[in-house]
Amino acid sequence: MALTRRSLHLHLIRPIFSARLLTTASTSPISIETSLPFTAHNIDPPSRSVQTSPHELLSFFRDMVLMRRMEIASDSLYKAKLIRGFCHLYDGQEAVAIGMEAAITRKDCIITAYRDHCLYLGRGGTLVEAFAELMGRNGGCSKGKGGSMHFYKKDAGFYGGHGIVGAQIPLGCGLAFAQKYSKDDSVSFMMYGDGAANQGQLFEALNMAALWDLPAILVCENNHYGMGTAEWRAAKSPAYFKRGDYVPGLKVDGMDALAVKQACKFAKEHALKNGPIILEMDTYRYHGHSMSDPGSTYRTRDEISGIRQERDPVERVRKLILAHDLATEKEMKDTEKEVRKEVDEAIAKAKEMPSPDPSELFTNVYVKGLGVEAFGADRKELRAVLP
Amino acid sequence: MLGILRQTVVAKLNHALNCEQGIGAVALRAYSSSSANKMTVRDAINSALDEEMSADPKVFMMGEEVGEYQGAYKITKGLLDKYGPERVVDTPITEAGFTGIGVGAAYHGLRPVVEFMTFNFSMQAIDHIINSAAKSNYMSAGQISVPIVFRGPNGAASGVGAQHSQCYAAWFGSCPGLKVLAPYSAEDARGLLKAAIRDPDPVVFLENELLYGESFPVSAETLDSSFCVPIGKAKIEREGKDVTIVAYSKMVGFSLQAADILAKEGINAEVINLRSIRPLDRSAVNASVRKTNRIVTVEEGFPQHGVGAEICATVVEDSFEYLDAPVERIAGADVPTPYAANIERMAFPQVEDIVRAAKRACYRSR
């Protein structure tokens, strides 16, 4: 929701048609059933009936299309060698990011691993900053010093962006600890995959979160493959929502943005009163693990196209919009064209940005550098004083 | 009401300012500390924690046995009673988990002090210390700062065997983004810990179990609640002109003993207490070598890629023409620490090793 608002302000060239669509879309409530029921562990599941509105559904559509487009454009940029190193794409999983944002505020915190581009966007990050960071330019959200895996937006409660599988879970419990300590009335969502679900530090952190009643929500984005290893080959029990044992869990259709919204709303209420809860989002990534992985050696093309046909999150919302007469096919196609243009413009703008200044090699090593010397590869050639 | 608020603000401001001014004040007293009182290192650390927790409600402690047990080495005695279980948090024996939680809390703006019962256990959490804490400010271009302190005993104790005796100064000291401190005296312990807690960057604070019970003279200034020792500055514990002996932590004490023995033989040794492993006070070490022309480094840790190796490199790079003898390194032996007392003794530097090396640097035979 907020994502679309922000992009409205950023771009002046916009077909009046589509902007009017969103600004005039009503906020009057519609009640929609989730596609599948929730499966619960040690807790009573929330209702399948989700409150939404035309405005919300239309912005779900636009925002997911934007995320999808950004990821596909990143694929091209990577192949054009404008993006280097690792690039982990989120297309297919958009409903998780979008549904979650709809249920929470910016005071709530989100932390994730390396598949972070869309979550950054959902927290209010801009396309230009995202592309600039991916291409290593100084206008990137981490000034080009982080890269794909290290997007942050602290002022919006987004704490990254982490490369070490599983590390984000204890970190997320730490965010929840701080929220409880500060009596903040907010919660932390820590996202991880089916691969990370087997990490020991998850269970260490979960134990402490449960012991201390931390407002921690562990969100397993189960896309069924940990890199190239299918879940059944890595986990004795792939019922990740049950792995918390004494910690309640909910299994959610992660391709249904409304189900995600309902689950996150439910989880937030629970966590504020009762401590940690696990949400398992049943989702799917169309791309391989990263751009170095074709994603087809360990799964069939039929499987991938099957999910696209049956469960695509964007198509689901499109059908809902049509079914409830909230917009026409043409209006939605126009929105998609608009989004494509927005993304192309952002890429063009990001491409114009320069690389970081060489002096940036030595900045931000410390907050307080104490005037100490730091050395480059040849210490007689390159040294700097850390301010 | 406003008057009280203003007073509190002014007091806090002075508290912070004095820490910065402490640089000047402490530099003056670099050569001598006039003492009225004595204090153990244990009490020094305890009082530093107490004062910093009192001054800033964001400071909290976590670790195994820090609360109800009063601290495995009684360092945190009395703090649970004073500050309550929300601020003195007993953790399960899960270093990776609780260190990650501490770092996450620091991301959000709290100021955790995470205790490792010994730094040997920090290896279970080292990913969070390095990848989650040390590198975050850089990777986020300044958005995510991590004002955390990791503290606990480091290095050898006595008879605790190979898995409980390693020194981690060299490993942590190599990592950009971390600050690494190694106090020796009570003054060091108090001043450096207070500076560490106030510092906005992640600090590894390497204590020493065998020093906890040792008493040191402390000045009135050291006892003041605003006392701080600047990070990154070494201290000349003993002035000399014939040979420089550089050490940190317990080895400073051994080096001072060695200097006394050397003095009887007419060798006037200068003993430098590094205090800070990262940033390393290269200028203090080089200034001393340019004066004495000879240097011995002393550390408990493994010799290869150790702190002494870095000091040797820095001296050769910056003060080569001033060296009248090769750099001498005294370090722990290249072996996992044995248990039996006689060979354990051989695994770590003893005073006689430092004396012998200093004599070698002075081209004196045994």
Side-chain angles (χ1 to χ4, degrees):
Chain A
M1 269 173 348
L3 168 71
T4 310
R5 276 244 141 72
R6 211 164 279 243
S7 28
L8 272 172
H9 292 301
L10 277 177
H11 296 273
L12 303 167
I13 305 165
R14 174 185 302 282
I16 302 162
F17 195 60
S18 190
R20 195 186 65 207
L21 193 69
L22 271 164
T23 49
T24 56
S26 90
T27 48
S28 57
I30 313 175
S31 197
I32 296 182
E33 281 244 310
T34 63
S35 54
L36 294 171
F38 297 104
T39 320
H41 168 73
N42 282 351
I43 197 167
D44 290 324
S47 154
R48 275 178 75 176
S49 182
V50 186
Q51 298 292 86
T52 182
S53 72
H55 186 276
E56 180 168 80
L57 285 172
L58 288 169
S59 61
F60 273 10
F61 179 76
R62 191 180 205 283
D63 293 343
M64 285 200 280
V65 166
L66 190 71
M67 289 178 175
R68 177 72 55 94
R69 195 66 236 147
M70 172 179 72
E71 296 295 74
I72 292 180
S74 301
D75 175 304
S76 306
L77 289 173
Y78 191 89
K79 286 172 177 152
K81 296 203 194 303
L82 284 162
I83 300 177
R84 302 164 56 239
F86 293 127
C87 189
H88 306 86
L89 299 176
Y90 199 75
D91 52 309
Q93 299 183 210
E94 299 89 348
V96 178
I98 288 300
M100 184 178 292
E101 281 299 333
I104 64 177
T105 72
R106 292 283 162 82
K107 254 179 73 189
D108 297 314
C109 301
I110 299 181
I111 190 169
T112 188
Y114 41 74
R115 209 174 296 279
D116 58 346
H117 309 161
C118 297
L119 283 154
Y120 169 75
L121 225 57
R123 290 263 89 182
T126 66
L127 282 172
V128 176
E129 283 176 297
F131 284 120
E133 188 59 36
L134 288 170
M135 294 194 277
R137 308 301 169 99
N138 69 356
C141 50
S142 299
K143 294 205 213 144
K145 289 164 75 166
S148 166
M149 297 185 286
H150 304 296
F151 284 21
Y152 305 86
K153 198 165 167 61
K154 189 173 175 180
D155 61 9
F158 183 56
Y159 287 85
H162 294 271
I164 308 296
V165 169
Q168 73 274 24
I169 297 152
L171 294 172
C173 290
L175 294 171
F177 182 97
Q179 289 170 317
K180 183 165 186 181
Y181 189 100
S182 316
K183 299 184 174 38
D184 212 55
D185 244 353
S186 50
V187 298
S188 287
F189 288 80
M190 47 223 77
M191 332 274 296
Y192 60 100
D194 45 292
N198 301 311
Q199 277 258 318
Q201 58 186 320
L202 186 158
F203 297 95
E204 292 189 16
L206 189 61
N207 175 49
M208 284 181 269
L211 257 180
W212 302 333
D213 288 316
L214 301 182
I217 299 159
L218 280 73
V219 182
C220 179
E221 292 184 279
N222 182 7
N223 57 25
H224 307 283
Y225 296 92
M227 233 171 96
T229 303
E231 61 183 327
W232 56 270
R233 287 179 63 224
K236 186 71 177 172
S237 162
Y240 301 107
F241 70 109
K242 289 187 185 168
R243 295 276 287 277
D245 184 19
Y246 42 81
V247 171
L250 207 63
K251 185 164 172 170
V252 184
D253 179 1
M255 304 301 251
D256 179 348
L258 291 172
V260 172
K261 173 184 159 181
Q262 186 85 321
C264 292
K265 186 159 170 286
F266 174 77
K268 178 170 174 176
E269 280 161 24
H270 180 273
L272 282 171
K273 283 202 304 277
N274 306 108
I277 182 170
I278 299 178
L279 299 178
E280 180 185 336
M281 305 289 182
D282 186 349
T283 183
Y284 200 83
R285 52 164 163 83
Y286 294 135
H287 270 90
H289 164 72
S290 73
M291 286 303 298
S292 325
D293 168 30
S296 50
T297 58
Y298 49 86
R299 39 183 207 175
T300 63
R301 291 191 199 279
D302 282 343
E303 180 186 289
I304 305 169
S305 55
I307 305 269
R308 234 188 248 276
Q309 285 269 74
E310 309 290 318
R311 296 180 65 208
D312 184 270
V314 179
E315 293 314 304
R316 167 166 291 142
V317 173
R318 194 200 300 269
K319 287 190 187 114
L320 277 173
I321 290 173
L322 290 173
H324 284 83
D325 236 344
L326 305 176
T328 64
E329 287 248 28
K330 180 176 187 303
E331 281 168 338
M332 288 196 280
K333 282 231 155 25
D334 284 342
T335 300
E336 287 175 283
K337 280 199 206 126
E338 203 181 287
V339 160
R340 202 175 172 131
K341 188 149 178 273
E342 203 178 311
V343 166
D344 289 341
E345 278 165 14
I347 293 175
K349 197 151 173 229
K351 275 184 181 168
E352 280 169 31
M353 291 177 170
S355 297
D357 188 86
S359 63
E360 292 284 356
L361 178 67
F362 290 109
T363 58
N364 309 124
V365 178
Y366 297 106
V367 173
K368 209 162 146 194
L370 303 171
V372 149
E373 260 192 323
F375 303 105
D378 181 347
R379 59 214 290 142
K380 301 280 161 118
E381 227 349 77
L382 181 61
R383 11 171 37 133
V385 172
L386 302 181
Chain B
M1 169 67 166
L2 266 173
I4 296 168
L5 277 173
R6 204 182 299 130
Q7 264 181 348
T8 325
V9 167
V10 167
K12 285 213 173 119
L13 216 61
N14 282 341
H15 190 66
L17 277 172
N18 284 339
C19 199
E20 301 295 310
Q21 286 161 5
I23 297 169
V26 172
L28 281 173
R29 20 188 46 260
Y31 297 99
S32 64
S33 321
S34 65
S35 59
N37 302 296
K38 295 198 105 179
M39 189 181 224
T40 61
V41 171
R42 175 180 285 109
D43 288 342
I45 299 172
N46 182 283
S47 61
L49 290 167
D50 191 349
E51 286 161 24
E52 294 307 302
M53 287 182 75
S54 171
D56 185 349
K58 292 197 154 124
V59 178
F60 74 97
M61 283 223 54
M62 64 193 303
E64 296 152 14
E65 312 296 3
V66 295
E68 292 190 15
Y69 197 85
Q70 308 296 322
Y73 302 99
K74 302 293 179 260
I75 301 293
T76 50
K77 185 161 180 224
L79 295 179
L80 174 66
D81 280 342
K82 199 166 172 191
Y83 297 103
E86 277 167 17
R87 295 185 69 193
V88 181
V89 181
D90 277 325
T91 64
I93 309 173
T94 50
E95 275 78 4
F98 71 69
T99 306
I101 288 180
V103 175
Y107 282 0
H108 202 270
L110 296 186
R111 304 187 82 94
V113 178
V114 176
E115 177 176 301
F116 291 114
M117 200 180 280
T118 78
F119 265 91
N120 300 284
F121 315 140
S122 73
M123 292 198 287
Q124 304 215 300
I126 206 163
D127 177 61
H128 281 297
I129 299 173
I130 308 295
N131 281 323
S132 305
K135 298 178 184 172
S136 282
N137 198 60
Y138 191 83
M139 291 191 296
S140 67
Q143 265 194 77
I144 312 279
S145 65
V146 193
I148 194 168
V149 175
F150 304 103
R151 52 156 293 273
N154 173 62
S158 194
V160 291
Q163 294 179 340
H164 290 75
S165 304
Q166 192 166 329
C167 172
Y168 293 86
W171 286 16
F172 289 123
S174 70
C175 192
L178 279 185
K179 290 172 180 165
V180 181
L181 304 176
Y184 160 62
S185 62
E187 178 185 300
D188 290 355
R190 251 182 79 76
L192 287 174
L193 186 55
K194 285 158 89 59
I197 293 173
R198 296 180 205 178
D199 195 279
D201 294 306
V203 182
V204 170
F205 193 79
L206 303 171
E207 301 161 6
N208 185 291
E209 193 210 313
L210 299 176
L211 285 176
Y212 283 153
E214 248 187 72
S215 252
F216 292 85
V218 283
S219 65
E221 195 205 356
T222 309
L223 296 171
D224 187 79
S225 69
S226 61
F227 176 67
C228 256
V229 159
I231 292 176
K233 296 275 172 254
K235 180 182 179 189
I236 315 261
E237 293 283 348
R238 180 201 174 103
E239 259 198 270
K241 57 175 182 54
D242 295 331
V243 60
T244 301
I245 305 177
V246 186
Y248 62 91
S249 189
K250 194 161 111 251
M251 293 293 114
V252 175
F254 280 30
S255 301
L256 289 168
Q257 289 179 50
D260 285 340
I261 295 171
L262 288 163
K264 292 192 184 89
E265 309 204 22
I267 297 178
N268 191 350
E270 176 150 290
V271 176
I272 299 183
N273 170 7
L274 279 175
R275 281 180 162 178
S276 190
I277 307 292
R278 185 173 189 100
L280 198 60
D281 194 346
R282 297 169 202 279
S283 49
V285 171
N286 278 290
S288 179
V289 166
R290 289 175 183 214
K291 187 170 71 167
T292 66
N293 313 120
R294 298 156 202 280
I295 179 168
V296 177
T297 70
V298 189
E299 68 200 291
E300 264 192 340
F302 297 133
Q304 192 167 332
H305 315 299
V307 175
E310 178 63 27
I311 293 175
C312 173
T314 211
V315 156
V316 163
E317 283 162 359
D318 292 342
S319 306
F320 184 67
E321 318 79 58
Y322 292 83
L323 283 170
D324 284 346
V327 175
E328 296 280 348
R329 281 188 298 167
I330 294 295
D334 252 321
V335 298
T337 309
Y339 163 65
N342 62 329
I343 46 175
E344 186 188 25
R345 200 176 178 281
M346 291 165 66
F348 292 107
Q350 305 300 333
V351 176
E352 56 259 32
D353 295 308
I354 306 172
V355 170
R356 192 184 317 111
K359 281 182 174 171
R360 264 198 321 258
C362 296
Y363 292 116
R364 296 268 287 272
S365 55
R366 359 186 121 243

